[in-house]
C-alpha cells in the first residue's frame, strides 16, 4: 500500500477522481501513501485489516475506511478544507508513538469507528474540525486555533495524555469527557465547553489560566484542579469532589445547579488571591476542608460534617442557611453571614477580628465558640451545652431580637449554656430565658426593650472581679459590691 500516490497527480496527463484499495486479510506495512483522488479514496477490507504507514497525506474530499485500522508512525497530514474521513465500526485511525497528525484545514471524522492518539503521539489543529466518532487520547492533543467539536465520547488516559486548549481556540464536547490515569486538561486563554459533562479520576489534572469554561455536570475523584488568574468557570449541574483538590485564584467560579455540590473523603477547596466562588445550589462537605484566603464565597445551604472551614485575609462567606456537625471553623479577619438559620452540633469555632451575622435563628448544641476582637449577631437563639468565650473587651455576642416586643421569646440559654470572658453579651429586644444550669460569666448589657426571665436565677455570675461593671441596664451599672456572693 505504501510508497505510492493513489489516483494520479494533477500534473499527469490522465487523472481519475475516485479510487479504491482492496486490502488483503491480515496486517500490512508500507511507507508513504498519498490520496490524490479529488472526490473519494476508499480503503476497504472484507475482514478487519491493520495497515501501518509512515505517512498518509490527504488531498481528497472524502476518505472512506471499512474494515481498516490505519496506523501512522510518522505523519498524518490533511491540507484539504472540508475533508471528510468516514469509518465503519471495524475501522480506526491511530497515530502511534513518535507520530504526528496535523490538521491545517477543516476536517470531519464521521461514522462509527475510533480516532486514537497513542502515547507519545502529537495531534494538532489549526483549523476547525469535528469528531463524530469516539476519540481516545493517550498522547498530546493540541488545539492551537479555531474550534474542535466532539459529538461522541472523549477519553484521556495515561500519564502522558494531554489536551491543551491554547489562546483563541475552543473545544465543544456534547458527550462525556473522561479524564483518568494522571492525564491532563490544560487551558490558556481559550474556551472549553463540556455540554455532556466532565468526569475526572485517578490522579488526573486540570490546569486553567485566563480560560472560559462551562460544564454541565462535573465529577472528580482523586484529582487536582487549578483554576488560575482570569478564569471564568460555570457549572450548571453541580460538582462532586471526592478525595480531590480544587485551588482557585483571581478567578470566578459559579455552580448553579439546583442540587448541592459535594466535597467528600478528604477533598479540599482552596481559595486564593481574590477568587469568587458561588454555589447557588448549596455545598455539602463530609470529612473535607475549605481553606480560603482573600476569597469570596456565596452559597445556598452550606452543610459541613466532620469538616474544617478556614478563612482569613478579608475572606467573605455568605449562605442562605448553615448547618455544621462536628466541624471546625477558624476565621481570622473574615466575614461570615447566614441569611437564614444557622445550627451547629459538637463543633469548635474560633473567630479572630471577624464578623458573624445570623439573620434568623441560631441553634447551638455541645459546641465551643471563641471570639477575639470579633462580633457575633443573631436574631434569635437556642443554646444548649455550648460554651461561648468572649476573650477580650472588644468582643460581643448580640441577641438582636429583630424588634420583638418585650414579651416575645427570642432567646433561650438552656442547661450547660455558658457565656464567659471579658466581652459582653448584649440583648437588644424581646425576651431572653435562662434555664437552670445556664451561666452568664461575662458582662451583660440590656436595652430598654429587653427582658430576662429566670427559671432558677436571672443572672448567675460566679466571678465579678474580672468585669466592672458586671452588668449595665438602661445606662445604670450594677457593680461588684452590690451583688451578693452566689
Amino acid at each position: 500500500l505504501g510508497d505510492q500516490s493513489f489516483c494520479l497527480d494533477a500534473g499527469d496527463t490522465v487523472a481519475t477522481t475516485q479510487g479504491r484499495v482492496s486490502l488483503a486479510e491480515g496486517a500490512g506495512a508500507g511507507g508513504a501513501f498519498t490520496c490524490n483522488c479529488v472526490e473519494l479514496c476508499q480503503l476497504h477490507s472484507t475482514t478487519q485489516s491493520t495497515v501501518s504507514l509512515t505517512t498518509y497525506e490527504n488531498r481528497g474530499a472524502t476518505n472512506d475506511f471499512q474494515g481498516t485500522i490505519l496506523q501512522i508512525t510518522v505523519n498524518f497530514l490533511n491540507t484539504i478544507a472540508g475533508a471528510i474521513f468516514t469509518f465503519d465500526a471495524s475501522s480506526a485511525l491511530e497515530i502511534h508513538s513518535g507520530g504526528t497528525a496535523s490538521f491545517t484545514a477543516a476536517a470531519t471524522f464521521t461514522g462509527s469507528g475510533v480516532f486514537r492518539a497513542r502515547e507519545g503521539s502529537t495531534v494538532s489543529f489549526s483549523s476547525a474540525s469535528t469528531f463524530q466518532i469516539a476519540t481516545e487520547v493517550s498522547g498530546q492533543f493540541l488545539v492551537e486555533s479555531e474550534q474542535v467539536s466532539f459529538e461522541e465520547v472523549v477519553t484521556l488516559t495515561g500519564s502522558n495524555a494531554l489536551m491543551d486548549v491554547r489562546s483563541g481556540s475552543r473545544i465543544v464536547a456534547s458527550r462525556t469527557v473522561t479524564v483518568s490515569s494522571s492525564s491532563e486538561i490544560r487551558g490558556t486563554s481559550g474556551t472549553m465547553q463540556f455540554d455532556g459533562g466532565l468526569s475526572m479520576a485517578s490522579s488526573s489534572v486540570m490546569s486553567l489560566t485566563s480560560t472560559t469554561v462551562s460544564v454541565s455536570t462535573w465529577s472528580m475523584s482523586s484529582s487536582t484542579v487549578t483554576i488560575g488568574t482570569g478564569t471564568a468557570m460555570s457549572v450548571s449541574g453541580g460538582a462532586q469532589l471526592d478525595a480531590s483538590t480544587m485551588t482557585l485564584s483571581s478567578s470566578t467560579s459559579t455552580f448553579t445547579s439546583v442540587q448541592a455540590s459535594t466535597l467528600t473523603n478528604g477533598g479540599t477547596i482552596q481559595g486564593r488571591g481574590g477568587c469568587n466562588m458561588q454555589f447557588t445550589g448549596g455545598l455539602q462537605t463530609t470529612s473535607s476542608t475549605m481553606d480560603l484566603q482573600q476569597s469570596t464565597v456565596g452559597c445556598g445551604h452550606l452543610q459541613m460534617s466532620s469538616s474544617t472551614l478556614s478563612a482569613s485575609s478579608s475572606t467573605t462567606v455568605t449562605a442562605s442557611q448553615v448547618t455544621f456537625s462536628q466541624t471546625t471553623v477558624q476565621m481570622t479577619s473574615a466575614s461570615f453571614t447566614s441569611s437564614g438559620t444557622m445550627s451547629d452540633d459538637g463543633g469548635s469555632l474560633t473567630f479572630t477580628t471577624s464578623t458573624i451575622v445570623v439573620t434568623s435563628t441560631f441553634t447551638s448544641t455541645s459546641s465551643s465558640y471563641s471570639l477575639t476582637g470579633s462580633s457575633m449577631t443573631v436574631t434569635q437563639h437556642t443554646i444548649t451545652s455550648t460554651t461561648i468565650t468572649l476573650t477580650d473587651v472588644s468582643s460581643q455576642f448580640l441577641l438582636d431580637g429583630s424588634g420583638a416586643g418585650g414579651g416575645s421569646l427570642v432567646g433561650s440559654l438552656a442547661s450547660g449554656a455558658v457565656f464567659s470572658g471579658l466581652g459582653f453579651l448584649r440583648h437588644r429586644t424581646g425576651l431572653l430565658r435562662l434555664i437552670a444550669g445556664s451561666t452568664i460569666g461575662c458582662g451583660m448589657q440590656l436595652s430598654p426593650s429587653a427582658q430576662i426571665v429566670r427559671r432558677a436565677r436571672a443572672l448567675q455570675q460566679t466571678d465579678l472581679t474580672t468585669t466592672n461593671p458586671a452588668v449595665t441596664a438602661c445606662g445604670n451599672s450594677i457593680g461588684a459590691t452590690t451583688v451578693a456572693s452566689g
Side-chain angles (χ1 to χ4, degrees), residues 5 32 36 129 159 176 209 218 221 233 237 253 262 301 380 383-384 401 407:
S5 182
N36 273 312
S129 296
S159 59
T176 302
T209 302
W218 192 4
S221 177
M233 171 74 73
S253 297
T262 60
H301 189 180
Q380 301 182 54
I383 301 173
T384 305

Side-chain angles (χ1 to χ4, degrees), residues 63-142:
N63 289 239
D64 182 69
F65 300 88
Q66 293 184 19
T68 303
I69 297 177
L70 180 60
Q71 299 175 346
I72 304 299
T73 61
V74 177
N75 187 36
F76 182 96
L77 178 63
N78 175 61
T79 59
I80 299 299
I84 297 174
F85 300 88
T86 302
F87 300 83
D88 70 356
S90 59
S91 297
L93 173 59
E94 300 179 350
I95 313 300
H96 276 232
S97 178
T100 64
S102 301
F103 294 90
T104 59
T108 298
F109 295 83
T110 187
S112 51
V114 181
F115 180 94
R116 297 187 179 101
R118 296 293 194 184
E119 183 174 0
S121 67
T122 301
V123 181
S124 61
F125 296 86
S126 54
S127 291
S129 296
T130 300
F131 287 82
Q132 297 173 347
I133 60 176
T135 305
E136 300 175 2
V137 179
S138 298
Q140 295 193 34
F141 200 97
L142 312 179

Side-chain angles (χ1 to χ4, degrees), residues 33-54:
F33 180 85
T34 301
C35 170
N36 273 312
C37 302
V38 176
E39 294 181 7
L40 175 65
C41 284
Q42 296 176 311
L43 277 71
H44 288 188
S45 177
T46 55
T47 61
Q48 189 177 67
S49 297
T50 299
V51 178
S52 178
L53 294 174
T54 57

